[in-house]
Amino acid sequence: MKIKIIRLISVLLVIVGVGLYVYGIVVNGDKPTDNLVRTILLLFSGLSVMAKTMPRRMSVKQYAAAYGKELGDAFSIDLKKRENLLGAIRLYDEGKYAAAMKMLESLKMDARTRDEIYAVWLFTALCQTGLGLNEAAIATYQEAIQKGAVSSLLYSNLGARYAAAGDGGAAAKAYAKAIEMDENNALAHNNFANLLLQIGEYDLAADAAMSAVEINPEQYQAWTVLAIVAAVKHDDELQKEFFQKAVRYGQQEEALRAAINHYINLA
């Protein structure tokens, strides 16, 4: 909201500057050079503030650093293809999924190493997920697995896609594989906890959620699961503790209350 107000003020500065300049010439009979300096200063001030408040696009080098684990050595020998891959990741990050997929598709034929296949297929599946193409994302993850390009993150993502498709058994297997590959993957533990919660396995859900917060104490989704389980079990003291932690780390209070009521009614 604060940024929007600043941008509005900067726009008004530009409008006022131009308006006063035109008014002076048309109404007061000023010469075009009379208030030119004042107008330029107002325009410069407004445009300068506007530029500072506009979001800046990250460079591909920044994406290389941000996604270093997912990229590995993908196309490290062919710098042009490496740059194209980073450009696709930037488009994905900006929510331009279709454009990102087009660039990734052009890299598939040249993806030969494990890191190249992993990066291209992973971000293709992420783009498909962003577009709501759940079945396509599942197929892409499965293809990456068949090619031997796997990770705990990939299996965790695959589990989430199976869960979204309503296939709890396949989701559970994928989450278990993700945890097997990396016991410190807090997100995998959390996703497994949510799946167990949905099918009414409250004790197991609490165990998985506790594993998640032991790894990452700020995993508010896991604290949410723990708060819900405590509420279902009528443990008011624990519910209050877990509720506060969930909200502290990012959960919306009203959403959490609604979720607790939902699961209490189910129970």
Side-chain angles (χ1 to χ4, degrees), residues 59-267:
S59 68
V60 290
K61 288 184 179 180
Q62 289 174 302
Y63 279 103
Y67 291 99
K69 188 175 181 180
E70 290 77 15
L71 287 165
D73 291 325
F75 302 111
S76 58
I77 297 176
D78 192 326
L79 297 182
K80 180 61 178 178
K81 289 185 176 63
R82 176 83 171 184
E83 187 176 339
N84 288 342
L85 175 59
L86 290 169
I89 293 173
R90 179 165 63 183
L91 289 171
Y92 157 74
D93 195 58
E94 293 173 348
K96 300 172 183 176
Y97 304 124
M101 283 178 62
K102 186 176 180 180
M103 291 186 69
L104 291 165
E105 190 66 31
S106 69
L107 292 168
K108 280 189 174 182
M109 291 294 293
D110 298 311
R112 294 181 176 85
T113 68
R114 181 269 175 196
D115 287 356
E116 290 166 359
I117 293 169
Y118 178 74
V120 172
W121 266 253
L122 172 66
F123 282 98
T124 296
L126 289 172
C127 288
Q128 290 166 332
T129 301
L131 290 169
L133 305 174
N134 200 58
E135 294 298 329
I138 290 174
T140 300
Y141 284 128
Q142 288 287 11
E143 190 175 349
I145 291 170
Q146 291 171 5
K147 291 177 178 291
V150 297
S151 72
S152 179
L153 171 64
L154 187 144
Y155 274 110
S156 183
N157 289 356
L158 176 60
R161 294 306 95 223
Y162 275 129
D167 192 340
K173 289 179 181 179
Y175 291 145
K177 188 65 178 178
I179 294 168
E180 178 187 327
M181 293 191 73
D182 181 7
E183 292 182 355
N184 291 320
N185 186 341
L187 185 59
H189 286 286
N190 173 75
N191 289 344
F192 196 24
N194 273 289
L195 177 65
L196 292 166
L197 177 67
Q198 290 169 21
I199 62 177
E201 294 287 351
Y202 299 120
D203 290 334
L204 293 176
D207 289 342
M210 189 59 71
S211 295
V213 296
E214 286 175 354
I215 298 165
N216 178 12
E218 296 184 7
Q219 188 89 42
Y220 74 84
Q221 299 94 332
W223 289 116
T224 295
V225 172
L226 289 168
I228 292 170
V229 172
V232 169
K233 291 178 172 293
H234 305 290
D235 191 329
D236 295 338
E237 186 176 344
L238 277 180
Q239 179 192 340
K240 182 179 179 181
E241 176 187 346
F242 296 149
F243 188 101
Q244 290 174 343
K245 288 184 177 180
V247 172
R248 182 193 308 165
Y249 294 123
Q251 181 59 274
Q252 296 296 317
E253 187 171 340
E254 291 183 6
L256 179 50
R257 291 189 190 282
I260 287 174
N261 290 333
H262 170 73
Y263 280 98
I264 287 176
N265 290 335
L266 284 180

Side-chain angles (χ1 to χ4, degrees), residues 21 24-25 29-40:
Y21 183 69
I25 294 173
D30 295 339
K31 295 179 181 179
T33 56
D34 285 350
N35 298 307
L36 185 59
V37 174
R38 181 189 66 185
T39 303
I40 291 174

